[in-house]
mmCIF file of all heavy atoms in Angstrom:
data_model
loop_
_atom_site.group_PDB
_atom_site.id
_atom_site.type_symbol
_atom_site.label_atom_id
_atom_site.label_comp_id
_atom_site.label_asym_id
_atom_site.label_seq_id
_atom_site.Cartn_x
_atom_site.Cartn_y
_atom_site.Cartn_z
ATOM 1 N N LEU H 898 0.800 -1.214 -0.033
ATOM 2 C CA LEU H 898 0.029 0.004 -0.023
ATOM 3 C C LEU H 898 0.843 1.254 -0.005
ATOM 4 O O LEU H 898 0.272 2.388 -0.066
ATOM 5 C CB LEU H 898 -0.951 0.026 1.214
ATOM 6 C CG LEU H 898 -1.896 -1.159 1.350
ATOM 7 C CD1 LEU H 898 -2.823 -0.958 2.502
ATOM 8 C CD2 LEU H 898 -2.684 -1.412 0.036
ATOM 9 N N VAL H 899 2.128 1.165 0.071
ATOM 10 C CA VAL H 899 3.038 2.332 0.158
ATOM 11 C C VAL H 899 3.602 2.582 -1.244
ATOM 12 O O VAL H 899 4.150 1.658 -1.856
ATOM 13 C CB VAL H 899 4.117 2.158 1.183
ATOM 14 C CG1 VAL H 899 5.089 3.326 1.147
ATOM 15 C CG2 VAL H 899 3.555 2.000 2.561
ATOM 16 N N HIS H 900 3.523 3.834 -1.678
ATOM 17 C CA HIS H 900 3.928 4.164 -3.040
ATOM 18 C C HIS H 900 4.928 5.327 -3.009
ATOM 19 O O HIS H 900 4.883 6.209 -2.136
ATOM 20 C CB HIS H 900 2.734 4.570 -3.874
ATOM 21 C CG HIS H 900 1.711 3.479 -4.015
ATOM 22 N ND1 HIS H 900 1.698 2.551 -5.021
ATOM 23 C CD2 HIS H 900 0.684 3.123 -3.162
ATOM 24 C CE1 HIS H 900 0.710 1.707 -4.818
ATOM 25 N NE2 HIS H 900 0.108 2.069 -3.721
ATOM 26 N N ASP H 901 5.810 5.326 -3.966
ATOM 27 C CA ASP H 901 6.860 6.352 -4.087
ATOM 28 C C ASP H 901 6.278 7.662 -4.638
ATOM 29 O O ASP H 901 5.173 7.634 -5.281
ATOM 30 C CB ASP H 901 7.964 5.891 -5.026
ATOM 31 C CG ASP H 901 8.746 4.737 -4.452
ATOM 32 O OD1 ASP H 901 8.880 4.657 -3.220
ATOM 33 O OD2 ASP H 901 9.254 3.926 -5.250
ATOM 34 N N PRO H 902 6.910 8.755 -4.356
ATOM 35 C CA PRO H 902 6.480 10.045 -4.958
ATOM 36 C C PRO H 902 6.300 9.930 -6.482
ATOM 37 O O PRO H 902 7.113 9.309 -7.121
ATOM 38 C CB PRO H 902 7.541 11.026 -4.563
ATOM 39 C CG PRO H 902 8.219 10.414 -3.402
ATOM 40 C CD PRO H 902 8.115 8.930 -3.618
ATOM 41 N N GLY H 903 5.307 10.530 -7.027
ATOM 42 C CA GLY H 903 5.095 10.541 -8.462
ATOM 43 C C GLY H 903 4.191 9.434 -8.969
ATOM 44 O O GLY H 903 3.734 9.436 -10.112
ATOM 45 N N THR H 904 3.969 8.411 -8.144
ATOM 46 C CA THR H 904 3.083 7.352 -8.556
ATOM 47 C C THR H 904 1.680 7.892 -8.522
ATOM 48 O O THR H 904 1.206 8.446 -7.542
ATOM 49 C CB THR H 904 3.171 6.117 -7.598
ATOM 50 O OG1 THR H 904 4.558 5.752 -7.511
ATOM 51 C CG2 THR H 904 2.371 4.976 -8.117
ATOM 52 N N GLU H 905 0.915 7.728 -9.631
ATOM 53 C CA GLU H 905 -0.361 8.371 -9.751
ATOM 54 C C GLU H 905 -1.516 7.558 -9.174
ATOM 55 O O GLU H 905 -2.441 8.090 -8.613
ATOM 56 C CB GLU H 905 -0.689 8.645 -11.229
ATOM 57 C CG GLU H 905 0.257 9.679 -11.850
ATOM 58 C CD GLU H 905 0.138 11.062 -11.152
ATOM 59 O OE1 GLU H 905 -0.964 11.434 -10.742
ATOM 60 O OE2 GLU H 905 1.196 11.727 -11.012
ATOM 61 N N SER H 906 -1.465 6.240 -9.302
ATOM 62 C CA SER H 906 -2.612 5.437 -8.869
ATOM 63 C C SER H 906 -2.201 4.237 -8.081
ATOM 64 O O SER H 906 -1.150 3.597 -8.377
ATOM 65 C CB SER H 906 -3.397 4.980 -10.115
ATOM 66 O OG SER H 906 -4.479 4.106 -9.752
ATOM 67 N N ALA H 907 -3.023 3.855 -7.137
ATOM 68 C CA ALA H 907 -2.764 2.657 -6.368
ATOM 69 C C ALA H 907 -3.451 1.440 -6.959
ATOM 70 O O ALA H 907 -3.229 0.299 -6.540
ATOM 71 C CB ALA H 907 -3.247 2.845 -4.913
ATOM 72 N N VAL H 908 -4.365 1.629 -7.912
ATOM 73 C CA VAL H 908 -5.246 0.593 -8.372
ATOM 74 C C VAL H 908 -4.501 -0.446 -9.225
ATOM 75 O O VAL H 908 -3.793 -0.038 -10.148
ATOM 76 C CB VAL H 908 -6.419 1.133 -9.147
ATOM 77 C CG1 VAL H 908 -7.323 0.033 -9.688
ATOM 78 C CG2 VAL H 908 -7.262 2.064 -8.240
ATOM 79 N N ARG H 909 -4.656 -1.683 -8.913
ATOM 80 C CA ARG H 909 -4.064 -2.761 -9.700
ATOM 81 C C ARG H 909 -5.148 -3.703 -10.136
ATOM 82 O O ARG H 909 -6.299 -3.563 -9.722
ATOM 83 C CB ARG H 909 -3.044 -3.498 -8.864
ATOM 84 C CG ARG H 909 -1.965 -2.640 -8.264
ATOM 85 C CD ARG H 909 -1.001 -3.477 -7.417
ATOM 86 N NE ARG H 909 -0.109 -2.556 -6.630
ATOM 87 C CZ ARG H 909 0.772 -3.012 -5.801
ATOM 88 N NH1 ARG H 909 0.933 -4.286 -5.599
ATOM 89 N NH2 ARG H 909 1.546 -2.145 -5.169
ATOM 90 N N GLY H 910 -4.788 -4.670 -10.931
ATOM 91 C CA GLY H 910 -5.758 -5.682 -11.326
ATOM 92 C C GLY H 910 -6.206 -5.613 -12.775
ATOM 93 O O GLY H 910 -6.882 -6.489 -13.250
ATOM 94 N N ALA H 911 -5.848 -4.528 -13.507
ATOM 95 C CA ALA H 911 -6.243 -4.452 -14.886
ATOM 96 C C ALA H 911 -5.652 -5.621 -15.660
ATOM 97 O O ALA H 911 -4.463 -5.981 -15.500
ATOM 98 C CB ALA H 911 -5.779 -3.126 -15.507
ATOM 99 N N GLY H 912 -6.415 -6.214 -16.566
ATOM 100 C CA GLY H 912 -5.912 -7.317 -17.336
ATOM 101 C C GLY H 912 -6.061 -8.711 -16.668
ATOM 102 O O GLY H 912 -5.661 -9.696 -17.171
ATOM 103 N N HIS H 913 -6.654 -8.690 -15.496
ATOM 104 C CA HIS H 913 -6.819 -9.981 -14.739
ATOM 105 C C HIS H 913 -8.273 -10.398 -14.648
ATOM 106 O O HIS H 913 -8.704 -11.119 -13.751
ATOM 107 C CB HIS H 913 -6.242 -9.850 -13.326
ATOM 108 C CG HIS H 913 -4.755 -9.630 -13.330
ATOM 109 N ND1 HIS H 913 -3.851 -10.654 -13.432
ATOM 110 C CD2 HIS H 913 -4.054 -8.500 -13.204
ATOM 111 C CE1 HIS H 913 -2.590 -10.164 -13.397
ATOM 112 N NE2 HIS H 913 -2.677 -8.863 -13.248
ATOM 113 N N GLU H 914 -9.073 -9.888 -15.634
ATOM 114 C CA GLU H 914 -10.521 -10.198 -15.590
ATOM 115 C C GLU H 914 -10.800 -11.697 -15.821
ATOM 116 O O GLU H 914 -11.910 -12.171 -15.624
ATOM 117 C CB GLU H 914 -11.231 -9.369 -16.631
ATOM 118 C CG GLU H 914 -11.290 -7.887 -16.306
ATOM 119 C CD GLU H 914 -10.038 -7.124 -16.714
ATOM 120 O OE1 GLU H 914 -9.063 -7.831 -17.164
ATOM 121 O OE2 GLU H 914 -9.999 -5.914 -16.557
ATOM 122 N N GLU H 915 -9.747 -12.456 -16.271
ATOM 123 C CA GLU H 915 -10.003 -13.861 -16.569
ATOM 124 C C GLU H 915 -10.208 -14.674 -15.331
ATOM 125 O O GLU H 915 -10.686 -15.821 -15.398
ATOM 126 C CB GLU H 915 -8.837 -14.455 -17.374
ATOM 127 C CG GLU H 915 -7.543 -14.688 -16.543
ATOM 128 C CD GLU H 915 -6.724 -13.413 -16.376
ATOM 129 O OE1 GLU H 915 -7.137 -12.340 -16.850
ATOM 130 O OE2 GLU H 915 -5.609 -13.509 -15.765
ATOM 131 N N GLY H 916 -9.909 -14.171 -14.169
ATOM 132 C CA GLY H 916 -10.132 -14.901 -12.940
ATOM 133 C C GLY H 916 -8.860 -15.372 -12.304
ATOM 134 O O GLY H 916 -7.802 -15.399 -12.916
ATOM 135 N N LEU H 917 -8.952 -15.805 -11.078
ATOM 136 C CA LEU H 917 -7.774 -16.217 -10.328
ATOM 137 C C LEU H 917 -7.327 -17.577 -10.823
ATOM 138 O O LEU H 917 -8.048 -18.574 -10.700
ATOM 139 C CB LEU H 917 -8.101 -16.229 -8.857
ATOM 140 C CG LEU H 917 -6.920 -16.527 -7.937
ATOM 141 C CD1 LEU H 917 -5.937 -15.352 -7.997
ATOM 142 C CD2 LEU H 917 -7.414 -16.715 -6.518
ATOM 143 N N ASP H 918 -6.089 -17.657 -11.375
ATOM 144 C CA ASP H 918 -5.612 -18.948 -11.866
ATOM 145 C C ASP H 918 -4.297 -19.320 -11.244
ATOM 146 O O ASP H 918 -3.593 -20.225 -11.703
ATOM 147 C CB ASP H 918 -5.463 -18.839 -13.401
ATOM 148 C CG ASP H 918 -4.512 -17.743 -13.844
ATOM 149 O OD1 ASP H 918 -3.875 -17.141 -13.001
ATOM 150 O OD2 ASP H 918 -4.455 -17.537 -15.076
ATOM 151 N N GLY H 919 -3.866 -18.609 -10.210
ATOM 152 C CA GLY H 919 -2.645 -18.898 -9.536
ATOM 153 C C GLY H 919 -1.482 -17.974 -9.967
ATOM 154 O O GLY H 919 -0.521 -17.849 -9.247
ATOM 155 N N THR H 920 -1.607 -17.317 -11.141
ATOM 156 C CA THR H 920 -0.565 -16.469 -11.618
ATOM 157 C C THR H 920 -0.767 -15.031 -11.149
ATOM 158 O O THR H 920 0.126 -14.200 -11.173
ATOM 159 C CB THR H 920 -0.473 -16.469 -13.154
ATOM 160 O OG1 THR H 920 -1.755 -15.941 -13.694
ATOM 161 C CG2 THR H 920 -0.274 -17.902 -13.674
ATOM 162 N N ASN H 921 -1.961 -14.726 -10.746
ATOM 163 C CA ASN H 921 -2.255 -13.309 -10.288
ATOM 164 C C ASN H 921 -2.685 -13.268 -8.865
ATOM 165 O O ASN H 921 -3.481 -12.409 -8.470
ATOM 166 C CB ASN H 921 -3.328 -12.717 -11.202
ATOM 167 C CG ASN H 921 -4.530 -13.559 -11.352
ATOM 168 O OD1 ASN H 921 -4.689 -14.533 -10.613
ATOM 169 N ND2 ASN H 921 -5.417 -13.256 -12.313
ATOM 170 N N ALA H 922 -2.155 -14.203 -8.033
ATOM 171 C CA ALA H 922 -2.514 -14.199 -6.619
ATOM 172 C C ALA H 922 -2.118 -12.935 -5.950
ATOM 173 O O ALA H 922 -2.821 -12.471 -5.024
ATOM 174 C CB ALA H 922 -1.870 -15.433 -5.952
ATOM 175 N N GLU H 923 -0.989 -12.320 -6.359
ATOM 176 C CA GLU H 923 -0.560 -11.073 -5.745
ATOM 177 C C GLU H 923 -1.563 -9.967 -5.937
ATOM 178 O O GLU H 923 -1.707 -9.073 -5.082
ATOM 179 C CB GLU H 923 0.849 -10.667 -6.269
ATOM 180 C CG GLU H 923 1.953 -11.396 -5.651
ATOM 181 C CD GLU H 923 2.021 -11.195 -4.125
ATOM 182 O OE1 GLU H 923 1.731 -10.077 -3.626
ATOM 183 O OE2 GLU H 923 2.344 -12.176 -3.413
ATOM 184 N N VAL H 924 -2.261 -10.006 -7.056
ATOM 185 C CA VAL H 924 -3.320 -8.991 -7.239
ATOM 186 C C VAL H 924 -4.386 -9.184 -6.263
ATOM 187 O O VAL H 924 -4.967 -8.240 -5.687
ATOM 188 C CB VAL H 924 -3.850 -9.014 -8.699
ATOM 189 C CG1 VAL H 924 -4.989 -8.051 -8.885
ATOM 190 C CG2 VAL H 924 -2.747 -8.789 -9.738
ATOM 191 N N LEU H 925 -4.780 -10.431 -6.048
ATOM 192 C CA LEU H 925 -5.809 -10.732 -5.041
ATOM 193 C C LEU H 925 -5.370 -10.254 -3.645
ATOM 194 O O LEU H 925 -6.122 -9.643 -2.870
ATOM 195 C CB LEU H 925 -6.080 -12.222 -5.004
ATOM 196 C CG LEU H 925 -7.044 -12.736 -3.902
ATOM 197 C CD1 LEU H 925 -8.448 -12.131 -4.100
ATOM 198 C CD2 LEU H 925 -7.131 -14.218 -3.869
ATOM 199 N N PHE H 926 -4.087 -10.501 -3.309
ATOM 200 C CA PHE H 926 -3.562 -10.090 -2.002
ATOM 201 C C PHE H 926 -3.607 -8.577 -1.872
ATOM 202 O O PHE H 926 -3.957 -8.028 -0.813
ATOM 203 C CB PHE H 926 -2.152 -10.643 -1.794
ATOM 204 C CG PHE H 926 -2.075 -12.105 -1.868
ATOM 205 C CD1 PHE H 926 -0.825 -12.737 -2.125
ATOM 206 C CD2 PHE H 926 -3.154 -12.946 -1.634
ATOM 207 C CE1 PHE H 926 -0.748 -14.128 -2.193
ATOM 208 C CE2 PHE H 926 -3.046 -14.322 -1.710
ATOM 209 C CZ PHE H 926 -1.848 -14.900 -2.025
ATOM 210 N N TRP H 927 -3.176 -7.876 -2.969
ATOM 211 C CA TRP H 927 -3.253 -6.424 -2.913
ATOM 212 C C TRP H 927 -4.708 -5.956 -2.747
ATOM 213 O O TRP H 927 -4.933 -5.045 -1.930
ATOM 214 C CB TRP H 927 -2.680 -5.837 -4.214
ATOM 215 C CG TRP H 927 -3.071 -4.395 -4.337
ATOM 216 C CD1 TRP H 927 -2.427 -3.315 -3.742
ATOM 217 C CD2 TRP H 927 -4.163 -3.826 -5.010
ATOM 218 N NE1 TRP H 927 -3.074 -2.178 -4.068
ATOM 219 C CE2 TRP H 927 -4.164 -2.451 -4.808
ATOM 220 C CE3 TRP H 927 -5.199 -4.415 -5.796
ATOM 221 C CZ2 TRP H 927 -5.120 -1.564 -5.375
ATOM 222 C CZ3 TRP H 927 -6.154 -3.556 -6.332
ATOM 223 C CH2 TRP H 927 -6.109 -2.136 -6.110
ATOM 224 N N ALA H 928 -5.630 -6.548 -3.454
ATOM 225 C CA ALA H 928 -7.039 -6.100 -3.386
ATOM 226 C C ALA H 928 -7.579 -6.321 -1.989
ATOM 227 O O ALA H 928 -8.358 -5.466 -1.464
ATOM 228 C CB ALA H 928 -7.864 -6.896 -4.415
ATOM 229 N N ALA H 929 -7.242 -7.435 -1.343
ATOM 230 C CA ALA H 929 -7.712 -7.711 0.024
ATOM 231 C C ALA H 929 -7.127 -6.722 0.970
ATOM 232 O O ALA H 929 -7.756 -6.310 1.995
ATOM 233 C CB ALA H 929 -7.366 -9.127 0.435
ATOM 234 N N ASP H 930 -5.876 -6.270 0.737
ATOM 235 C CA ASP H 930 -5.201 -5.341 1.646
ATOM 236 C C ASP H 930 -5.730 -3.917 1.397
ATOM 237 O O ASP H 930 -5.974 -3.152 2.340
ATOM 238 C CB ASP H 930 -3.698 -5.394 1.352
ATOM 239 C CG ASP H 930 -2.858 -5.001 2.557
ATOM 240 O OD1 ASP H 930 -3.434 -4.806 3.634
ATOM 241 O OD2 ASP H 930 -1.644 -4.905 2.399
ATOM 242 N N TYR H 931 -5.905 -3.564 0.161
ATOM 243 C CA TYR H 931 -6.357 -2.192 -0.198
ATOM 244 C C TYR H 931 -7.855 -1.987 0.140
ATOM 245 O O TYR H 931 -8.267 -0.860 0.389
ATOM 246 C CB TYR H 931 -6.106 -1.982 -1.692
ATOM 247 C CG TYR H 931 -6.469 -0.636 -2.234
ATOM 248 C CD1 TYR H 931 -5.622 0.440 -2.152
ATOM 249 C CD2 TYR H 931 -7.721 -0.426 -2.841
ATOM 250 C CE1 TYR H 931 -5.960 1.696 -2.652
ATOM 251 C CE2 TYR H 931 -8.063 0.782 -3.338
ATOM 252 C CZ TYR H 931 -7.208 1.837 -3.237
ATOM 253 O OH TYR H 931 -7.546 3.072 -3.786
#
């Protein structure tokens, strides 16, 4: 959840609409944290 100066957006997950398949688990973890 911590971002460097100049980073515009915290939102992640774009391109992962296919569903959780094991390769995008970090996106799930970020979403649960955020």
Side-chain angles (χ1 to χ4, degrees):
L898 303 185
V899 176
H900 300 268
D901 292 330
T904 307
E905 293 298 324
S906 175
V908 178
R909 306 179 189 177
H913 294 279
E914 291 81 357
E915 73 278 4
L917 186 66
D918 59 7
T920 63
N921 51 12
E923 279 301 322
V924 176
L925 175 64
F926 301 157
W927 166 82
D930 208 5
Y931 180 85

